[in-house]
């Protein structure tokens, strides 16, 4: 149980285009999802917290207009990288938890984004 | 600010040895700690967690030790196997605050 599915696993896009990444909780309802970014050989950096039915909370330094987050249902959150640039190339990982008291133990397998 | 760090960026062991991965944290208000394993190209996989009211917790082949006095966390892996090769992250949280990840330690297991 507690499976988080992330799609696509990798994507290559051209500069200036937008890319959407999906994060789904397959066997539980996720009231909160988290989006992380990870550069090679570095740790996970939290980008934003996505709450079902409300606006996402972005970490300091993360452009909300650049990284659009939508959490329209209890099982799906999406991250859209708008007007992508090569410096947006990274590994994006989502995490989901059920209730307020639950711990974010469940991660997706990440999406490798390469912007050419 | 709060931070979580690791002492050893790379740990090399022989198959069958016991491995110890260390983590230091600076937020004395942290009350929940997690160890994750991340294999190349994959997301973090939960290994074991511990709450601040405990100082030791055991799982299958893994043990987490928490020393709140010196703000230190360790992960012990018994009889390390090649499949244990990965990057290990500690993470800490205070109450309902965000999870903060450490910098990671790469564990290399030689057959």
């Amino acid at each position: 149980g507690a499976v988080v599915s992330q799609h696509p696993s990798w994507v290559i896009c051209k500069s200036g285009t937008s890319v959407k990444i999906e994060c789904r909780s397959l066997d539980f309802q996720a009231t909160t999802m988290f989006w992380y970014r990870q550069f090679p050989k570095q740790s996970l950096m939290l980008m934003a917290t996505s709450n079902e039915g409300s606006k996402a909370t972005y970490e300091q330094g993360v452009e909300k207009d650049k990284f659009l987050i939508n959490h329209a249902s209890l099982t799906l959150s999406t991250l859209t990288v708008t007007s992508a640039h090569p410096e947006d190339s990274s590994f994006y990982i989502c995490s989901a938890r059920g209730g307020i008291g639950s711990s974010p133990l469940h991660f997706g397998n990440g999406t490798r984004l390469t912007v050419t | 600010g709060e931070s979580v760090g690791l002492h050893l960026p790379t740990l090399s062991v022989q198959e069958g040895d016991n491995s110890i991965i260390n983590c230091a944290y600076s937020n004395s208000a942290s009350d929940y700690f997690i160890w994750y394993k991340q294999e190349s190209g994959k997301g973090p996989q939960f290994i074991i967690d511990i709450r601040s009211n405990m100082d030791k917790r055991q799982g299958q082949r893994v043990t987490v030790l928490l020393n709140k006095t010196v703000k230190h966390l360790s992960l012990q892996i018994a009889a390390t196997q090649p499949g244990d090769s990965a990057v290990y992250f500690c993470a800490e949280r205070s109450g309902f605050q965000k999870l903060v990840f450490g910098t990671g330690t790469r564990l290399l297991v030689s057959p």
Side-chain angles (χ1 to χ4, degrees):
Chain A
V3 176
V4 175
S5 174
Q6 197 170 334
H7 179 80
S9 56
W10 60 271
V11 58
I12 302 173
C13 70
K14 294 184 177 180
S15 291
T17 61
S18 296
V19 175
K20 180 183 286 188
I21 302 170
E22 294 186 346
C23 181
R24 294 180 184 273
S25 56
L26 297 186
D27 53 358
F28 66 102
Q29 293 184 329
T31 56
T32 305
M33 289 184 174
F34 303 87
W35 287 97
Y36 293 84
R37 183 174 182 176
Q38 186 178 33
F39 290 105
K41 298 183 180 180
Q42 294 191 23
S43 188
L44 282 75
M45 296 299 297
L46 181 64
M47 298 175 63
T49 301
S50 172
N51 298 297
E52 187 269 336
S54 63
K55 291 183 178 180
T57 302
Y58 291 81
E59 294 299 302
Q60 189 174 8
V62 178
E63 299 177 58
K64 62 180 180 180
D65 295 330
K66 172 76 171 176
F67 299 100
L68 299 179
I69 291 173
N70 183 280
H71 193 159
S73 77
L74 286 171
T75 60
L76 174 65
S77 176
T78 61
L79 168 68
T80 301
V81 183
T82 63
S83 186
H85 291 284
E87 55 265 32
D88 297 326
S89 298
S90 191
F91 194 51
Y92 294 87
I93 312 172
C94 72
S95 173
R97 72 181 185 194
I100 295 176
S102 301
S103 304
L105 303 177
H106 318 299
F107 282 82
N109 263 334
T111 296
R112 172 73 59 193
L113 171 62
T114 302
V115 185
T116 62
Chain B
E2 58 187 36
S3 67
V4 181
L6 295 175
H7 299 297
L8 299 174
T10 302
L11 176 64
S12 297
V13 301
Q14 293 287 325
E15 181 178 0
D17 287 352
N18 296 330
S19 302
I20 300 176
I21 301 172
N22 297 300
C23 178
Y25 65 96
S26 59
N27 185 1
S28 56
S30 293
D31 57 6
Y32 180 64
F33 305 86
I34 311 173
W35 279 102
Y36 287 97
K37 172 186 180 183
Q38 187 178 28
E39 296 176 279
S40 180
K42 295 184 177 181
Q45 176 187 356
F46 170 81
I47 301 174
I48 192 168
D49 59 359
I50 188 169
R51 300 197 180 275
S52 59
N53 60 351
M54 303 173 67
D55 54 20
K56 180 179 180 180
R57 191 164 186 225
Q58 289 183 292
Q60 186 176 13
R61 282 203 305 121
V62 295
T63 300
V64 56
L65 298 178
L66 174 63
N67 186 331
K68 296 180 288 294
T69 302
V70 295
K71 296 200 267 309
H72 184 266
L73 190 69
S74 70
L75 176 69
Q76 299 178 3
I77 304 174
T80 314
Q81 302 169 359
D84 294 327
S85 295
V87 177
Y88 290 81
F89 292 97
C90 65
E92 55 94 8
R93 192 183 71 198
S94 171
F96 298 132
Q97 301 300 313
K98 66 181 181 182
L99 204 61
V100 176
F101 281 82
T103 54
T105 292
R106 180 173 299 279
L107 177 64
L108 299 175
V109 183
S110 303

